[in-house]
Amino acid sequence: MAELVVSNLVKSFQNGARAVDDVSLDLPSGKWLTLLGPSGCGKSTTLNCIAGLETPESGTIRLGDRTLFDTARGGIPPEARDVGMVFQSYALWPHLTVARNIAFPLELRGIPARERKGRIADVANIVELGSMLERYPHELSGGQQQRVALARALVYEPKILLLDEPLSNLDAKLRERARAWLSALQRRLAVTTVYVTHDQTEALTMSDEIAVMSEGRIAQRGTPREIYGAPATPFVADFIGTSNFLNGTVLSRDRGSGTVRVADAEFRFVLPDGVGVGDDVLIAARPASLRVAARDDSSTIHGRILQRTYMGFRYEYLAEIAGAEVRIDGAEEIPDGVDTISVSLTPEECSLFRRDGHESKRAAR
Amino acid sequence: MTDTDAGNASQAHRDVTRTRLATPLTQYGIVLLTVVLVVSPLLPILYQSFIAQPLYRDDLDFTLSNYARLFVSRAFYDILWVTFLFSAGIAVVSTAMGALMAVLTVRTDMPGRGWIGTIFTIPIYTSSLVLAFAWITVYGPGGYLTATWANVLGLPAWDLYGLWGMILIGSTAYAAIPYFYCTSALTMADPSHEQAAQICGAGRMRTLWRITLPLLRPALSYSLLINFVAGIETLSIPLILGEPRGVRTFSTFLYTEIGKTEPQYGLVACASMLVLVFMALLIMLQRRVLGDARRFVTVQGKAQAPKRLRLGPLRWPLATLCWIWVTVLVVLPLAGLLARSAVQVLTPYISPLTVLTWDNYVQIFEVDTYARSIWNSLLIAGVGGFFAACLSLGIVLVAERSDNPLRRPLRFLSLFPQAVPGVIVGVGLLWAFVLVPGLDIFRSTVIGLMIAFTMRYIPLAVGAIAPSLGAIGPELDRAARTSGATWIGTVRRILVPLVAPGFLGAYILLFLSFLREYTSAVFLYVPGTEVIGTTLLSLWVQGKSGPVAALAVIQIVLVTAVVLISRRLLGVKMYG
Ligand SMILES: Nc1ncnc2c1ncn2[C@@H]1O[C@H](COP(=O)(O)OP(=O)(O)OP(=O)(O)O)[C@@H](O)[C@H]1O
Ligand SMILES: [Mg+2]
């Protein structure tokens, strides 16, 4: 196992767009880092640069005491990097049996047949595939194929394990099981792991560290708790599962906190540095922090109902509050004909950002 | 790390450094081979076009006078004009025929459409040389049906020789190409367009005209271009049907000029250069118009049964017309050829049964040169075709599945021979073999012919392999690379086994093409390296129409056998 250090990685494609734009990462030996971000943000490209499947323009990639790439000297080819990789499509070789698929990297490393056999059996046990070694890939279910791919990547004890959306081809139930199984396995083997996904649940439940990516850059880097609890930008807040954004204005500030007006109500918020009186702010509210108010008082926000949806045991309202559209859950039905809604807000569960054109536009859809 | 781990690591490291050289060596080897193959016929021609004397002489003067002379030569403009008329005629007529037949057989419920379509495409499996002989046997001035028509029935006869006959035979020979492209476009198109049109109240014919034909536009423009190029290239049809009437195209001009005792080498080279430039422009235009992807148009459809247009009362009349069409154009000439091969003379005045003979076949097998041409053809097709298929596979692998910096130029280069007519390949290689010391060995053995044929058909094989390689997900090789395999190792152990069916298909395609190829061979063969095509031509020149028919039938039988075997046993489908 080895520590991974990536610094100032840049990669653009012929069409000129920078797929990876100055990305730096460091990952201690044995830890799990997740690259999280929307489609096209450069996660796979970053991973492929680490694996040696893409050649960056500049930056350095170091694994343990070996430099895999640096701008001046170029990179060493993927076959010499000693990484294990699992692809989204699993990429099992269809003309080889499960055993031959797993044996392939061992054969390349000149490991004698006897030892090969033992190691294949071991790894097959670890991924619970013992009885399927003689099957061909197309004779396996999606979940089994995914485990073969994992076994193939682990069997030669690579210095690092790279996983590119390995669970996204599984159905929802299986994915949940595989999630638990995979992270338990990684903890047990203590293999340094970089995991790529666009699913925030996977990222939050499995990782030691998360790097949220946006347009080729790292938007925020931290533990799942930090990312979820204190998103650094509206983009991160949005992506990590906060669904509502409200507009507000800072009325007063003393030290770390201040009063913020949201529509016709006022709340006390913890204010980040650099937010002053009179600033417009964007409030990212988790689903649970916005509720249909039981009583109308000075701390309820009033909005206009745009649409109501009956969800079986609850109601969901789409409302307009101070120029932003929000979704609000309620247990009780607001009678037809009433087109205003009273909403309560829990400031402790919200994150607050200063509005500056660029970020707020994207977040406050 | 344990001791064995360290040992393995250093072993792996040694392997890596050893194989690290193997990968670039292989890749650049393939690139170099392709460059040599593609430019070796072209350079001597370029060179010759700028020197006054034949290029093998010692006293050479560089000059532009060749070009100057060519541009003021009246005869050259005549040749260009005839070549243009002939090629444009073939392109238009064959595309119209192919498209019409494709619509009728794929999109309508015409009875017998399967058989009609199959018979319609037979000419692409024979060579245009054989088709020309067959037509002359039946419709030529002394042909069986011409004689019946004119002398027995007393009706005015036609003249097959000349431009119109050339266009008709050429179109019959090449109509299968538009047919295949249109068939595949029609099979892949969504039949609901047509149903929608019919629901809107469009009549059947109107639907065909307004909805179905526009779907074919890309296939049509591609076919027009390919067959235009084919018209410029073809040697046999203008040679056999045009020369007797003084109708001379570029190919026949080259052929006759080189055949003279004192050929004007400079003129030949200049004319070739101009045609090359023109062809290259045409092909570039085609790329521009149709985009990159269409180069690899594969002739295969989705497994979707198209809803057929009901022809109603037109069913039987149309079917009858189509039967007459394929019978007149394909069945009768080939039947005539078969009959001619088995009799001493074929005329309406003598019952063929009284002159039945094996003599034509006996001659072919008893005369050494004739028999040898069959073995040579088989050898070139079997061995040369295999090497050509291997090289094509290598080209596709480097061009599509490597990070070699030259992969784009390589791809372009491998498709360039499309722009080089077979006669030019022949002349160019002949000069290259004469010019470069030590290359005589190629000239005196079949190896030279293998080289020429390989150069000619690389684009075809590349086009056949590329789609089947494309169907193999790139993650399969990426997975092998991260597992520790070099590029070579990945190719050998993952890609080659997976692409084997595509390779086999390309090999069979090359085998068939090599078996029929002769245009690039007419200048290159020497006594001992004859192939079927060159023997057919020389037999024809000697007026031995019986043995010509026999050898042509032998070629057809060989081709048919290969097609059937590969279809039945290996499940490989030619041309879709
Ligand atoms: N071979 C390529 N040529 C050109 N552009 C590319 C290529 N591969 C990726 N890109 C571009 O680079 C950007 C990043 O791509 P990348 O595959 O890394 O995204 P991703 O974050 O993995 O997305 P996804 O979740 O959809 O897999 C995208 O905008 C993509 O269009
Ligand atoms: Mg990706």
Side-chain angles (χ1 to χ4, degrees), chain A residues 13 15 19 38-45 165 198:
Chain A
F13 289 102
N15 52 18
S39 183
C41 70
K43 312 177 294 281
S44 297
T45 309
E165 311 211 20
H198 57 242

Side-chain angles (χ1 to χ4, degrees), chain B residues 105 112-123 125 179 326 330 567:
Chain B
T105 55
R113 53 186 180 264
W115 276 103
I116 292 173
T118 307
I119 297 172
F120 184 74
T121 57
I122 286 178
Y125 298 101
Y179 177 79
V326 294
V330 181
R567 243 187 219 179

Side-chain angles (χ1 to χ4, degrees), chain A residues 48 51 53-54 76-80 83 85 87-89 91-95 104-105 107-109 111 152 156, chain B residues 1 5 8 11-12 15-16 20 407-408 475-487 493-494 497-498:
Chain A
N48 289 338
L53 298 170
E54 303 276 6
I76 54 180
E79 63 267 20
V83 300
M85 186 150 179
F87 296 82
Q88 184 173 6
S89 61
L92 299 181
W93 301 304
H95 62 302
F104 185 82
E107 289 166 19
L108 290 166
R109 284 166 177 74
I111 290 171
R152 188 179 66 186
Y156 49 99
Chain B
M1 228 188 234
D5 274 353
N8 287 337
Q11 160 77 28
D15 284 355
V16 162
R20 229 191 232 185
R407 63 184 190 278
R408 272 165 198 285
E475 295 197 334
L476 292 184
D477 21 328
R478 297 178 142 218
R481 295 298 297 277
T482 51
S483 297
T486 58
W487 183 80
R493 301 190 46 177
I494 306 294
L498 288 175

Side-chain angles (χ1 to χ4, degrees), chain B residues 138-181:
Chain B
V138 178
Y139 304 119
Y144 190 83
L145 286 181
T146 324
T148 313
W149 185 269
N151 303 346
V152 180
L153 302 177
L155 297 164
W158 56 79
D159 186 6
L160 187 65
Y161 287 178
L163 193 58
W164 289 109
M166 287 158 61
I167 291 178
L168 190 58
I169 298 180
S171 303
T172 308
Y174 296 116
I177 291 167
Y179 177 79
F180 285 130
Y181 283 122

